[in-house]
């Protein structure tokens, strides 16, 4: 999508570049737009772990590009470049990348795509070229999945628009499942961008999304850059808005979806699903099938929930009146703080899943029917 | 309750002081402890409007003290001190105070207590002395109501403690319904302080409470000052904690309770009530009967919800690393922002009301039975 009129994706490789790739460093947004060039596996791991890049699909593509650097480094660091040495170095790099974030299953898909395509018996130059091609194709596929989600999801917004006789359709979203979380288009935002493209008037309630404020910082920024009307609200406000008929539909993303349709997503998503159910507001989850974990059923019981450092809660970053991007302390110095990054929304609260193949119910049979091959691969 | 070992209330008049009273200015907490002396009606109105003092019972007591200053000012400003002049000046002052905050019914109780007790035919000196006595009694009654809420509510915590064989009782609370919101003891916190006093081990999950962070700033601070174990969480986290059995009971306060038990409280309360219902966690509301609006039934439909300035959402205040208390911008400059201050939790989600007369169900008949006189005064 566009930034200052120029088209970007979140992760990309310049065509002639075989020793690095680039990401948008999302930490300073919306105050400052920074591009980061990554040229080592360690830098990629840090970029994922410290959330320069975040959002399941974007993490997957970044890890996949990170793996091409593993081959580049293996070539540079190994004396003999024997198959065994290269393989060991690449496997070690894959473990380093896999250990960066525990919840996003896409991370592992991005890494595995490279391991499956690797042929360590081939010359290292072939291996590097192959890894580059794999990463480029992986990113392209993610981009296409988002585009398809938009094409399928827009029908829901069109339907509401018709029912409302063309009045503005109010969508509530949580966190950033926008194009910044993907390679392009977004997941939850893809139908919104598509509706805007088709001239359907939309307005987005953007949940701030504490503690890292991805809604207030990123979703608001990317919607604004694209000219989509939106209003930032605190995470506490959604229930009140739904009680008063100010939300027509909720669309969120997913970091990990179980085979029966439970949705692991940014902490607080579950609370919005409860409010939607209580007020009969349809609650949809937009996701590429790459985020579905076919081996998992009961999300609440089985999904590991990342606990992050307490300083993300006790300190908040923003732009001081001086223009400097800085942090302030919110809590008493001696108070304990806990920071759960995700929660699980049980499938019973999910009206439907918007995937790249179409919209389906959040239940095992509908998911199986939509993805017969993937679901039987477990 | 205690601050650095010394006993305080939120609003007080020094015994020999007939021209001013004092409040704790809560805006700089937890980073800086400031006492503010108020000596004009305009200063009192500003202190309420700009939330130097907040919380329904504390606002009521502050307004009641503010009204004694109305008499003091009437004496100073009127040439002849005729009954008519005094009455007009006092009524004008009451209107100024009544316009400061729209939701808290206690504000009007504090003002009305003075108007009912006034006798404009008497000499102005009598009127001032009378207004002082009315304010002192009003604050004392609020304090006693909080103490009684603690004595009644502690039985709920004792019961859970017994069921858990003395293991720590985990309480979740939203916003600050602590002693800083009242004159002393608090409402939601009163049972917690009482349990702590009785040696029942408790731990409090403190919702941050965006946008003004009263939980992270005030509840965490006052609990810490009193030695109560607590952990600050973002408002998004409560549902996840309840799904995993980490919350035994929710206790929140109320800014306005309807005659049928609907609860108007800080924005986001409703979302916690939904999560409590979905996970069978008892959800209680602690309130002095002064916050019950006997003339109102359907809170969602009838209760006016204050919309405050958007800068409370887009900017956040805290302590910079330099030690300075300052603000940072969280949102893109061009993004719209909405700031709803309260929401309404329908009575069907409320397991019980903890009042100064005892614990009762959140329904018209139980409330009527507990307060036969008040409920029939409508």
């Amino acid at each position: 999508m566009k930034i200052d009129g120029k088209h970007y994706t979140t992760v990309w490789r310049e065509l002639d570049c075989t020793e690095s790739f680039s990401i948008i460093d999302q930490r300073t947004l919306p105050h400052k737009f920074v591009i980061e060039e990554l040229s080592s596996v360690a830098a990629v791991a840090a970029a994922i772990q410290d959330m320069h890049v975040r959002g399941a699909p974007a993490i997957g593509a970044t890890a996949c590009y990170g793996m091409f650097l593993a081959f580049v480094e293996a070539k540079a660091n190994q004396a003999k470049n024997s198959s065994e040495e290269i393989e060991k170095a690449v496997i070690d790099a894959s473990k380093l990348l896999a250990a960066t974030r525990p919840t996003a299953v896409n991370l592992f898909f991005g890494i595995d795509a490279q391991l499956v395509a690797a042929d360590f018996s081939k010359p290292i130059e072939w291996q590097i070229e192959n890894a580059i091609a794999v990463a480029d194709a992986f990113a392209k596929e993610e981009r296409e999945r988002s585009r398809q989600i938009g094409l399928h999801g827009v029908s829901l917004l069109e339907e509401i628009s018709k029912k409302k006789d063309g009045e503005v359709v109010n969508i509530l979203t949580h966190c950033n499942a926008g194009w910044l979380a993907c390679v392009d288009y977004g997941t939850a935002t893809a139908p919104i961008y598509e509706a805007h493209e088709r001239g359907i008037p939309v307005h987005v309630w953007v949940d701030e999304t504490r503690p890292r404020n991805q809604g207030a910082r990123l979703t608001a920024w990317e919607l604004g850059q694209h000219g989509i009307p939106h209003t930032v609200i605190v995470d506490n406000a959604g229930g009140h808005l739904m009680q008063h008929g100010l939300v027509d539909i909720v669309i969120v993303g997913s970091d990990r979806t179980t085979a029966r349709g439970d949705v692991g997503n940014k902490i607080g998503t579950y609370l919005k699903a409860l409010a939607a159910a209580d007020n009969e507001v349809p609650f949809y989850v937009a996701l590429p099938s790459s985020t579905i974990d076919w081996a998992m059923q009961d999300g609440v019981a089985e999904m590991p929930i990342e606990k992050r450092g307490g300083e993300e809660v006790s300190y908040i970053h923003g732009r001081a009146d001086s223009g400097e991007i800085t942090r302030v302390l919110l809590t008493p110095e001696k108070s304990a703080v806990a920071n759960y990054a995700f929660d699980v929304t049980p499938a019973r609260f999910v009206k439907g899943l918007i995937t790249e193949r179409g919209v389906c119910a959040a239940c095992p049979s509908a998911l199986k029917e939509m993805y017969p091959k993937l679901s039987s691969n477990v």
Side-chain angles (χ1 to χ4, degrees), chain A:
Chain A
M1 310 302 286
K2 287 190 175 177
I3 299 169
D4 280 339
K6 191 183 162 190
H7 184 266
Y8 281 93
T9 58
T10 51
V11 192
W12 72 97
R13 189 182 63 82
E14 301 293 342
L15 263 184
D16 53 352
C17 194
T18 56
E19 293 187 339
S20 72
F21 66 99
S22 299
I23 60 168
I24 297 172
D25 182 350
Q26 303 185 21
R27 292 173 303 168
T28 55
L29 291 176
H31 311 297
K32 214 168 144 188
F33 175 56
V34 176
I35 290 170
E36 184 178 9
E37 193 179 343
L38 297 171
S39 54
S40 75
V41 174
V44 175
I48 297 173
Q49 183 146 32
D50 301 340
M51 299 175 92
H52 306 202
V53 64
R54 23 68 52 206
I59 286 172
T62 304
C64 197
Y65 274 113
M67 284 295 290
F68 109 68
L69 294 184
F71 287 92
V72 173
E73 285 183 5
K75 180 185 174 192
N77 295 341
Q78 302 304 322
K80 299 184 220 159
N81 280 331
S82 73
S83 292
E84 292 73 22
E85 278 177 333
I86 299 281
E87 182 164 1
K88 186 182 177 305
V90 168
I91 298 289
D92 283 353
S94 76
K95 285 180 186 164
L96 181 73
L97 291 172
T100 50
R101 297 284 304 273
T103 303
V105 69
N106 291 54
L107 173 65
F108 311 120
F109 290 150
I111 295 165
D112 290 349
Q114 291 283 10
L115 293 179
V116 164
D119 182 346
F120 294 105
S121 69
K122 294 266 175 68
I124 182 66
E125 289 73 18
W126 179 94
Q127 294 185 53
I128 291 172
E129 268 179 43
N130 182 58
I132 287 175
V134 168
D136 283 349
F138 189 92
K140 196 179 162 196
E141 271 171 40
E142 275 301 354
R143 189 165 182 268
E144 178 58 19
R145 280 198 197 97
S146 284
R147 204 178 69 88
Q148 290 298 331
I149 287 170
L151 295 175
H152 291 298
V154 75
S155 60
L156 300 168
L157 303 181
E158 275 175 335
E159 204 178 302
I160 294 167
S161 178
K162 268 181 211 158
K163 270 191 199 159
K164 291 185 81 174
D165 281 333
E167 257 185 74
V168 174
V169 179
N170 286 298
I171 303 129
L172 184 142
T173 192
H174 190 69
C175 198
N176 177 259
W179 75 265
L180 288 170
C182 299
V183 175
D184 204 352
Y185 302 108
T187 55
T189 54
I192 298 167
Y193 288 125
E194 184 61 31
H196 184 70
E197 198 66 27
R198 296 185 185 187
I200 300 169
V202 292
H203 166 261
V204 186
W205 294 108
V206 179
D207 269 3
E208 175 184 47
T209 320
R210 288 282 291 144
R212 293 183 64 89
N213 288 34
Q214 291 95 335
R217 294 195 299 113
L218 305 177
T219 306
W221 183 78
E222 63 161 89
L223 292 172
Q225 289 283 332
H226 210 82
I228 311 262
H230 64 281
T231 304
V232 180
I233 50 171
V234 294
D235 303 306
N236 286 323
H240 171 73
L241 294 175
M242 293 187 218
Q243 283 178 322
H244 291 271
L246 297 169
V247 179
D248 296 307
I249 184 171
V250 180
I251 311 180
V252 299
S254 171
D255 283 80
R256 194 166 181 171
T257 311
T258 75
R260 76 176 193 194
D262 291 348
V263 174
N265 193 44
K266 187 57 52 194
I267 190 83
T269 302
Y270 167 53
L271 295 172
K272 293 306 137 66
L274 289 167
D278 194 45
N279 295 285
E280 294 175 10
V281 173
F283 182 94
Y284 281 90
V285 181
L287 59 132
S289 59
S290 56
T291 63
I292 301 174
D293 185 344
W294 297 100
M296 190 177 282
Q297 295 292 333
D298 181 343
V300 174
E302 296 175 57
M303 204 178 294
I305 298 296
E306 183 179 5
K307 261 191 98 169
R308 298 180 56 86
E311 73 285 351
E312 287 186 354
V313 173
S314 47
Y315 286 90
I316 196 165
H317 290 76
R319 199 187 72 190
D321 288 346
S322 67
E324 186 199 3
I325 293 169
T326 185
R327 65 175 195 173
V328 294
L329 175 67
L330 304 177
T331 53
E333 270 176 354
K334 290 179 185 167
S335 289
V337 166
N339 184 11
Y340 301 88
F342 301 91
D343 64 21
V344 174
T345 300
R348 68 182 183 279
F349 296 111
V350 180
K351 172 97 175 167
L353 303 172
I354 310 170
T355 80
E356 71 269 23
R357 289 209 185 149
V359 179
C360 77
C363 67
S365 58
L367 271 167
K368 258 188 198 164
E369 199 179 321
M370 182 114 20
Y371 294 97
K373 265 197 189 170
L374 286 175
S375 60
S376 61
N377 264 351
V378 183

